[in-house]
């Protein structure tokens, strides 16, 4: 319509004869095109922000969907594991022994502790579960993959110590080993610059000391690795001293690879020694990146690498089922009664106003109501999907009623009259003719309500669903949490790996929403009728 | 259509039936402080991994809310433990007693509260008096109580940087804020302001920004703004040591060792309280207490230390473990 106006009414052939009128016309056209541009701009802007938001989430979430696993040679022989009493075995020891067998050189309590820290603390439990469900058979030494610790995992994904640079020095002359210390002599002094750039402290006679505040310099000689602690000018070049991180052979020749990790050791969550170990495991082919099944099908956990979303998915599904089962029949019945059967009087007017107001009540109020009525009065269990669903149903009801009434009202009166005209009763008219025609609209309203309920956290706070629950909920009364609550909790954990889990959980929530919507669209298509 | 409605109503009726049969509880329930939450959940998970008991359900309700639920009574519908980032108050203990609840107090460790900024800026040294001057609503200038006039750190002391005072911290509902006010603001409060009852008031002119309860958000904001400072628990500094540094307070840096030794001035004790009446009735409570109080958990090398809990000194730990396992109730 605007096109015909804009195209047909050019100033030359129009009835706008004087300049003032033409100016007014131009102004109107200008306003129109301004509005169009503004509208398109608004759409573009929101599309841009939506894209930005989604891409940040996807980008951040990506590392959480795959995880690095370490293949351990587990000794599951009869002396360690009794096939008839699988729960009685000490799996902590089995996992630790397997780990230590990969690092025969490791001695001392502190180092052993660090080695243990390479794999997830949940590994023993996973081994026990694998034995119990038969995916792992006892007897002999068996290779089995277990998840790595979250920091080793982040390191392998290149998210920790990413700021490292490598150089090669060709002038190694001599290596002397004294216990855990090594002394390397080089015939040129380029290492002095490297150490200075790494933030070494200058002492007398040009000697440089690499303190804990400086970047780490690791020298690789063949398979071995030395962390440099001091570099000083020697007779023919420089002498570097350092502690051995991985065994060095004294006569090691050839070029020395120098790796400078910019973040000082004390300020990252993975030590130089662990970096060398993890690199070694990777070189041995013992680590592998795989789909993070633990994240997709595990329950909640305080350990980032063990934390899974499945408990929250099941909790959300159970809660949504309760919400739907309560709010849909009640909401639709209420709408049908109010729209088709109820007399129009003061009482129904009053109810109508109240329903409209309820739709705008903050959701936390429903949580408080649920706490007072369902928990304190009915004595229903805390943290249960049943109560969560009931609270969310209360919240969703007004939305469904309002949308359903609008949908019923939109059905042409001729349908009702025709039905009544051929002798149908009032109830037959409604259930056989009006309701099926209103169904697409009703379903749209229901989906809006359910989507809102799916994303709610606040009302669940009061009824104990904001809780740390590890076990996957088994029914409507067992403790459970829901997806948005899981996101809320993970966002608050200090470990950096949980930030990726947060984004990944958001993606799962969005997926859940899309799935719910898809079901509704299919249903709506089935009921839809056009005139 | 008819079928659809019928199914829906059948489901409703089935649900209504389920209401009547709320299952008996075989699972430990813990409520309380969000500060202790990460530690208690770690212990709960270990107990669950042993395979003998279901994993306890830990709810984060805040210390005050947790105490209210905990002291409300004895029985399956009441929790067995509560986490607390401060000792139980006399009023709460009375409430407990009135409802027949005997709490067993276990001090589990310390938590340091740090003021930190981005590594991109310099580390600064503060005193509690300087922090008070930077954050209080009213301060004393030349013997008179005036609304806080300081806009830059250097207005307070010339040794401090000449940047705008901008501190991101927890909102009034937070236990961390309560502890911060108690340990810093009230301690450094000049008499004139104490007389006016204004020690706990934090300025509202924009210099102090309430950043919500999400400490990760504060960490991200500090990364983006090198001039800003943030107030949060030690564990967030510990986990983000590559990006942030803690300001020293009274010359002491917030390190694991300094807090454990009691040298760092802004640290508080963390507690859990067990319900004596439930021991024996709810399975696994004794094992839970035992798991919490082993050195493998709360010791200097334990897994809770990895999560940011700062352990008690050795003798105090031994004493607490002994009292806890003997279920030494309060006021019994």
């Amino acid at each position: 319509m605007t096109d015909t106006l804009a195209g047909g009414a050019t100033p030359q052939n129009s009835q706008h004869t004087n300049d003032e009128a033409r100016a007014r016309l131009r102004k109107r056209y200008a306003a129109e095109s301004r509005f169009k541009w503004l509208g398109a701009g608004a759409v573009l802007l929101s599309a841009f922000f939506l894209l930005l938001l989604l891409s940040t989430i996807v980008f951040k979430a990506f590392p959480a969907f795959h995880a690095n696993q370490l293949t351990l040679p587990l000794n599951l022989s009869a002396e360690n594991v009794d096939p008839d009493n699988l729960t009685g075995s000490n799996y902590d020891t089995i996992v630790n022994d397997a780990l230590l067998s990969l690092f025969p050189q490791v001695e001392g309590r502190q180092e052993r502790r660090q080695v243990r820290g390479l794999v997830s603390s949940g590994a023993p439990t996973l081994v026990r579960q694998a034995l119990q469900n038969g995916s792992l058979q006892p007897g002999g030494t068996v290779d089995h993959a277990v998840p790595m610790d979250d920091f080793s995992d982040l390191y392998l994904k290149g998210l920790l110590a990413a700021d490292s640079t490598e150089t090669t020095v060709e002038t190694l002359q001599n290596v002397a080993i004294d216990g855990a210390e090594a002394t390397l002599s080089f015939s040129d002094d380029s290492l002095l610059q490297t150490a200075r750039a790494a933030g070494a402290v200058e002492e007398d006679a040009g000697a440089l000391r690499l303190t804990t505040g400086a970047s780490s310099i690791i020298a690789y000689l063949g398979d071995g690795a030395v962390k440099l602690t001091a570099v000083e000018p020697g007779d023919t070049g420089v002498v570097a001293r350092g502690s051995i991180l991985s065994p060095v052979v004294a006569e090691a020749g050839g070029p020395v690879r120098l790796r400078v990790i910019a973040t000082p050791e004390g300020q990252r969550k993975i030590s130089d020694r662990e970096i060398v170990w993890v690199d070694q495991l990777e070189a041995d082919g013992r680590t592998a990146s795989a789909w993070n099944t633990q994240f997709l099908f595990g329950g909640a956990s305080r350990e980032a690498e063990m934390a899974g979303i499945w408990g929250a998915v099941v909790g959300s599904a159970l809660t949504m089922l309760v919400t739907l089962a309560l709010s849909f029949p009640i909401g639709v019945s209420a709408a049908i009664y109010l729209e088709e059967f109820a007399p129009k009087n003061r009482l129904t007017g009053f109810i109508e106003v109240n329903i409209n107001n309820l739709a705008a009540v903050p959701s936390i109020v429903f949580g408080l109501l649920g706490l007072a009525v369902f928990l304190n009065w009915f004595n229903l269990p805390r943290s249960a999907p049943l109560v969560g669903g009931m609270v969310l149903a209360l919240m969703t009801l007004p939305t469904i009623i309002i949308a359903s009434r609008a949908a019923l009202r939109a059905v042409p009166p001729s349908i009702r009259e025709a039905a009544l005209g051929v002798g149908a009763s009032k109830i037959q008219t409604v259930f056989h003719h009006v309701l099926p025609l209103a169904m697409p609209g009703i379903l749209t309203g229901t989906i809006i309500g359910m989507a809102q309920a799916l994303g709610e956290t606040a009302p669940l706070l009061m009824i104990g669903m904001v809780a740390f629950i590890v076990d996957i909920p088994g029914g409507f009364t067992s403790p459970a949490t829901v997806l948005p609550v899981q996101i809320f909790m993970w966002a608050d954990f200090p470990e950096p790996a949980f930030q990726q889990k947060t984004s990944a959980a958001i993606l799962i929530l969005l997926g859940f929403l899309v799935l719910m919507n898809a079901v509704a669209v299919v249903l709506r298509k089935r009921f839809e009728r056009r005139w | 259509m008819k079928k659809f409605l019928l199914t829906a109503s059948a489901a409703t009726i089935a649900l209504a039936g389920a209401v009547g049969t709320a299952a008996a509880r075989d699972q430990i329930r813990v409520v309380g402080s969000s500060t202790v939450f990460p530690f208690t959940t770690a212990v709960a998970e270990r107990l669950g991994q042993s395979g003998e008991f279901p994993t306890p359900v830990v709810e984060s309700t805040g210390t005050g809310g947790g105490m209210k639920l905990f002291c409300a009574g004895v029985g399956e519908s009441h929790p067995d433990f509560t986490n607390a980032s401060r000792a139980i108050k006399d009023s709460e203990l009375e409430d407990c007693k009135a409802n027949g609840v005997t709490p067993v107090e276990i001090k589990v460790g310390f938590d340091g509260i740090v003021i930190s900024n981005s590594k991109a800026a310099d580390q600064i040294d503060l005193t509690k008096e300087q922090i008070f001057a930077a954050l209080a609503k009213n301060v004393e200038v030349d013997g008179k109580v005036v609304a806080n006039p300081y806009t830059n750190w250097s207005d307070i002391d010339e040794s401090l940087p000449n940047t705008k005072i901008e501190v991101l911290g927890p909102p009034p509902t937070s236990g961390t804020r309560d502890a911060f006010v108690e340990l810093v603001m009230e301690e450094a409060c000049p008499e004139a302001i104490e007389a006016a009852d204004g020690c706990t008031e934090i300025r509202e002119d924009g210099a102090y920004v309430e950043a919500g309860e999400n400490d990760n958000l504060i960490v991200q904001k500090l990364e983006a703004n090198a001039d800003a400072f943030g107030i949060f628990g030690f564990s967030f500094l510990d986990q983000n040591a590559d990006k942030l540094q803690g300001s020293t307070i009274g010359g002491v840096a917030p390190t694991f060792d300094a807090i454990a030794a009691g040298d760092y001035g802004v640290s508080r004790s963390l507690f859990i309280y067990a319900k004596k009446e439930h021991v024996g009735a709810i399975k696994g409570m004794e094992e839970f207490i035992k798991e919490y109080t082993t050195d493998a958990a709360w010791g200097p090398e334990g897994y809770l230390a990895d999560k940011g809990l700062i352990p008690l000194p050795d003798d105090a730990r031994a004493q607490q473990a002994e009292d806890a396992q003997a279920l030494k109730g309060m006021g019994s």
Side-chain angles (χ1 to χ4, degrees), chain A residues 113 301-302 382-383 468, chain B residues 29 45 58-59 216 301:
Chain A
R113 226 175 82 83
S301 172
R302 264 307 275 136
R382 268 182 91 79
S383 317
F468 176 76
Chain B
R29 299 212 58 136
E45 199 179 341
V58 190
E59 212 182 304
N216 274 324
E301 311 255 287

Side-chain angles (χ1 to χ4, degrees), chain A residues 351-397:
Chain A
I351 290 173
E352 196 171 323
V353 168
N354 274 296
I355 289 172
N356 288 338
N357 281 339
L358 271 178
V361 167
S363 55
I364 185 79
V365 175
F366 290 103
L368 285 164
L369 181 79
L371 173 70
V373 177
F374 300 137
L375 293 192
N376 293 346
W377 194 23
F378 289 173
N379 271 327
L380 292 177
R382 268 182 91 79
S383 317
L386 176 69
V387 181
M390 283 158 82
V391 167
L392 292 177
L394 286 179
M395 204 192 82
T396 319
L397 264 176

